[in-house]
Every structure is written in C-alpha cells, then in structure tokens.
Amino acid sequence: MFLLMGIGFFTTRKILEALGVDDLGIYNVVGSIIIMFDFVSSGLSNSTQRFINIGLGRNDNKYTNQYFSQSFFLHLAFALITALIIEPIGLWLIYKKLVISPDRLDAALIVFHLSIISLIIQFVKICFESDIIAREQMSFYAYLSIFEGFSKLAICYAIIQNTTFDKLIYYGVLLLCINTIVALIYIVFCLSKYKETRIKGYFDKQIFKQLTSFISINSFGVISWALGKHGINIVMNMFFGPAINGAKALATQLDRIIAQFGTNLDTAVRPQITKMYAQDKIQEMFLLAMKATKYIYYVMLIIAMPFLFETKNILQLWLGEVPEYTKIFTQVVVFETLFTVFSRPFNDTSLATGKIKNIQIYGRLITLSALPISYVLLKIDANPIIPVILVAFLSLIYSLYTVWEMNRHYHFGLKLFFIKSLSPIIIVSAICLGVGFVIQELIVFDNIYISVCAKSGLLMSVALAIIILIGVDTGDRDYLIKKIQRKGAN
C-alpha cells in the first residue's frame, strides 16, 4: 500500500504534466458519468462476495458454485443494460450540459466510449475478483495491485513520449488495455485454481430471486451514493467549467491514494465478518466490526496527518504549479474519507446478514441529497467549496445512520460502540489535530523538501505514538509489543 501510494503520487503529477489541467478536468468530468454507473459493479461485487463467503463458511462447494455461476450471467446482463442506459445519458450530458471547448469535444466523446468498454470489462471481472477476496488471497491481490500501479506509471511515460496521437485519447486507450489485462489475469488465476469459478449453465429460480433482490437493493444504494458524490463534478462543471474539475480531480486522486489503505484493510476484514455470520457468531461479528472501525480509522489518520497540515507544500512539491482550490479540496475530501470509515465494517455486517434495505435505500438518500442541495446552494452562492463540504458532512451522517440501523436489528449496543470505537476515535483525533496545529505553527523550515519530509515524519510519528498510548486497548497493545519483540528476536 505504501509502494502504491508513492507510485500514485508520481503518476498523478506526470499525468497532469502530460494532459494539462483542462484535459485532466475533461477526463474527470466525463469519467464521472461512468463512475456513477461503475458503482453498480461495486454493488454486484458486494453481493457476489457475500454469497461466496457464506458458501465457503459452510464448506459447501456445490452451493458456492451455483451462486458463482448464476452471478456471472447476471453480471453480463447488468453490463449490457448499464451500457444501454449510459450511452444516451452520457451523450446528452456531453452535448447539452457540460462545459467542454468545441476543439476537445471529439476527444471527450472517444474517452467516454472507451470508458463504457472498460466498465463492461469491470462487470465481467467482478465474480473472479470477489472469489479471490472471499478466499482471502491477499498476497495475489496485493501483487496484482502493484502490477496495475506500475502499469499506470508506464502509461504516463508513454503519453509524455507520444507526439503522434491526441494525448487524452491515447490515455483512455492505454487505461483500457491495462484494465483488460488485469481482468484476464483474475479470470485465468481463478479458473486454474478454484473449482467454484468454473461456470456452469445453471439456473435456479430461488437463487435467481435471492440474487436479483439483493443486487437490486445494493445497486440502488451504491448508485445513489455515486450520484451524490460524483454527480457534483457535473454540477461544478456547469457552474465553473473544466478547470475546477481539474482541481477537484487532483484532490480526488490524492484522496484516493489515502482511501485505498482503508479499502484494502476493509477488504481483508469483510470475509471474516461474513464467515462469522454464516457460523452464527453474531456477537463476535459485531465486536470485530467495532475493532475494525477503530483500527482502520487509526491507520488512515496516520496517513492523513501530513495531507491535512502540510497540504500546500506537498501539493507544490508534487505538482509544481498548483491549480486554485486544490488545497482546500484536498483537506475536505481527506476528512470525508476519514468519516466514511465509521460505515465500512458495519456496511459489511449489513451485507453479511442481508439487512441492507433501509441502509441502501433510506441511508443512501442522505448522500444522494448532495446533488440537488449543491445545485440550489450554488445558485445562491457560486462558491466551488460548498458541494465538497456538503458531501463530506452527508457522508458522516450516513455513516452514523448505518451503525444505528444495524443496532436496531441486532441490539449489539450503541453504548458499547461508543466505548469501543467512537470515544477512542474522537479523543485520539482531537489530540492529534491539536498537536498537528502546534507543530505547523511552531516548526518552520525555509526549504520545502526538508519541510515536507521532516514535518510529515514528525506528524505521522506523533499520531502513531498518541494512538499506541491512548487509542489502543491494553490487550491489543501487549499483543503488538510481544509481536514486535518476537520479530526483533528473529
């Protein structure tokens, strides 16, 4: 994850140099149309993984293969339906609503169509990726992520060296190639290693009903979230043009690197949560969710500290010329990512138990409301920071609603959640942010390189020390110390 973070920083800078802020903004806003529907694939992935995990938890290979096979055919159907929906909507937005200069319109259209093809490939890959995660093959998952990261770095150099083709189109073509290769690796690995992934022409009405019901509700939720989060890119483009999308894209790229830590840690926890439910270990499942919430947050807080306090210098060192609003966008989206941690493990419990209806419908209406509210607020005051802050605030509300909803079903105890997770998080965050402000004000370096390296190291070290001393349970702290001592002895 640290390696990918470094690659991600370097890749984004090179992409900005190669494309320029306007073309990057065009890619971001056109890509947002696809991303909003790409999260249908997230809903499919969560649903597929849930049934595979239950099958593996019960040691039932026949059950697992039946769900895998039927899920695969459902994914193909969803891919075609999604492509048919996106095509007219995307063209209408590009031609009628988005602010794109006429000389870049053809490039935007080609990138849009390439993104649709990439989305279809993503749908096909879902079942195989879900099986790898359910099997907890995290080393394979990590190596393939590193391969993907280095491939995108290679794309940067290919674009910089390119003098023949339109750089934006060339970027879209190369990304499609990488996505295709990664999908093929997933498929070949699974087919060669796991019997449940060998697809059979199997149809069962009851299984089909279970899958479609689960997928439909979950997909509604992730689409609503995507419309609220990424739809504001379109609203911002309508008010401010592609330059502001470029600044937002840079902040999002930076945030995505940080968010990947949380996503990967949650990915490692999710199979255990589902298997605990399959084995009827309900109390243990919620205790794991509480512990996961706390520790995922701690890891992300450590990584986030430099980006909250050394934002200006990091951006300047990273990008050279920093587009307007990039700094404030970065700080807000980092807070938003921290807020989403509260819902991650409890979303996993809702998927495991099947109690997803209220969370994915009523809960996601909270995040979806960002879209109309942003439009109205920008009509009143055309300030581009407004929708970004609104999305962060609504993400926090949704996260807390998720915890409340799961407690309503299983009564694990909101008081216990406050004691085990929320209270330590609030105390640690308050101390870390307070110390961070003091460090930022009292320690000043003239050299930007020294400032970024020294302050980032100090901020992360201080956060780690505060977490170990205050935020970690005594039993967990003793376990960590013994583990470190054992490693040292070896």
Side-chain angles (χ1 to χ4, degrees), residues 80-213:
L80 294 173
I81 292 167
T82 304
L84 290 172
I85 293 171
I86 290 175
E87 182 70 21
I89 293 174
L91 292 176
W92 174 75
L93 284 169
I94 291 170
Y95 279 115
K96 300 293 185 183
K97 294 296 179 183
L98 298 182
V99 180
I100 299 173
S101 61
D103 62 310
R104 302 306 294 146
L105 188 61
D106 288 342
L109 286 168
I110 292 171
V111 166
F112 171 67
H113 290 300
L114 290 171
S115 299
I116 291 178
I117 297 169
S118 186
L119 180 62
I120 292 170
I121 292 168
Q122 171 70 12
F123 274 87
V124 173
K125 183 186 79 171
I126 289 167
C127 281
F128 301 95
E129 185 179 10
S130 298
D131 193 74
I132 285 169
I133 294 169
R135 286 279 186 177
E136 299 184 67
Q137 291 292 322
M138 295 308 165
S139 57
F140 175 82
Y141 189 76
Y143 290 134
L144 196 52
S145 297
I146 291 169
F147 166 77
E148 194 172 358
F150 275 110
S151 299
K152 289 178 180 177
L153 181 60
I155 286 175
C156 296
Y157 284 101
I159 294 168
I160 291 168
Q161 297 298 320
N162 165 57
T163 56
T164 308
F165 305 106
D166 183 290
K167 289 184 183 294
L168 183 58
I169 297 172
Y170 195 43
Y171 181 55
V173 170
L174 292 176
L175 276 181
L176 174 61
C177 291
I178 295 300
N179 290 336
T180 304
I181 291 167
V182 169
L184 288 172
I185 293 171
Y186 271 116
I187 292 168
V188 171
F189 180 83
C190 285
L191 290 175
S192 64
K193 192 157 178 138
Y194 302 120
K195 290 182 179 180
E196 70 268 10
T197 63
R198 292 165 193 173
I199 300 158
K200 299 176 182 177
Y202 184 88
F203 180 82
D204 182 278
K205 188 176 179 181
Q206 187 177 358
I207 291 176
F208 180 79
K209 187 177 178 181
Q210 276 184 316
L211 283 169
T212 50
S213 173

